[in-house]
Amino acid sequence: LTKKFVKEFVKEGYTIISGLAKGIDTVAHQTALKEGGRTIAVLGSGLDIIYPFENRLLAEEIVKNGALVSPYLSGTKPYPKNFLSRNRVIVELAKAVLVVEGKARSGTLSTASWAADAGVDVFAIPGSEATDFLIGEGANSVKSPKEVIDKVWI
């Protein structure tokens, strides 16, 4: 689903913003680059400490057609508390937030909450604990990229 949505967003000129984490974040960044799009990775560490380490080559590719950004000074290690702040920066840069999936207790829910509080549209794909909860709380339920594009793209 992440690949499907990112491909369409890139075709429409969206810049993909995510957190360089394992899983969906990695797939989103990789797909944006593969499709010739731009992507921004927001780190939960200093720019000199790529975390997770296995994404260091991806980070190097992102710099070529996007950006690495961080709210932290160089040398800041990726402490767990940093990732909530990182997610807030993602929201501050975003025009919309799409939640593909997540667990009931995850940073994903705090990201969506910050987005809603900031007036940033929140979209969720039904089918996981987090997305179903968000839809119940008023997030836009979507099944196709076009539903997001039609609401957000100006």
Side-chain angles (χ1 to χ4, degrees):
L1 284 172
T2 302
K3 288 179 183 178
K4 173 185 170 181
F5 275 74
V6 169
K7 283 180 185 181
E8 291 302 314
F9 295 160
V10 165
K11 282 183 192 175
E12 294 294 328
Y14 281 100
T15 297
I16 305 303
I17 306 166
S18 202
L20 199 65
K22 295 178 188 178
I24 289 175
D25 289 25
T26 297
V27 171
H29 293 303
Q30 289 172 333
T31 304
L33 294 171
K34 181 180 175 190
E35 297 298 316
R38 295 176 312 271
T39 187
I40 297 171
V42 182
L43 306 182
S45 59
L47 290 174
D48 59 330
I49 300 176
I50 302 302
Y51 180 84
F53 180 75
E54 55 262 46
N55 277 350
R56 70 190 182 290
L57 295 177
L58 176 57
E60 291 173 14
E61 289 302 311
I62 289 171
V63 170
K64 295 176 186 174
N65 201 24
L68 295 180
V69 299
S70 174
Y72 299 103
L73 297 173
S74 291
T76 302
K77 294 180 180 177
Y79 297 112
K81 65 179 179 159
N82 295 2
F83 295 99
L84 290 176
S85 295
R86 175 208 59 189
N87 293 345
R88 187 181 301 249
V89 172
I90 290 170
V91 168
E92 290 170 354
L93 294 171
K95 190 169 190 174
V97 170
L98 172 67
V99 181
V100 177
E101 69 177 16
K103 295 184 179 180
R105 289 183 45 86
S106 67
T108 302
L109 294 179
S110 65
T111 304
S113 176
W114 286 325
D117 290 346
V120 174
D121 286 320
V122 178
F123 297 89
I125 301 171
S128 75
E129 293 173 354
T131 56
D132 292 347
F133 173 79
L134 290 171
I135 292 165
E137 293 294 307
N140 297 284
S141 176
V142 294
K143 293 181 181 172
S144 75
K146 185 175 182 336
E147 293 174 274
V148 178
I149 293 164
D150 287 350
K151 180 153 178 144
V152 176
W153 194 254
I154 297 174

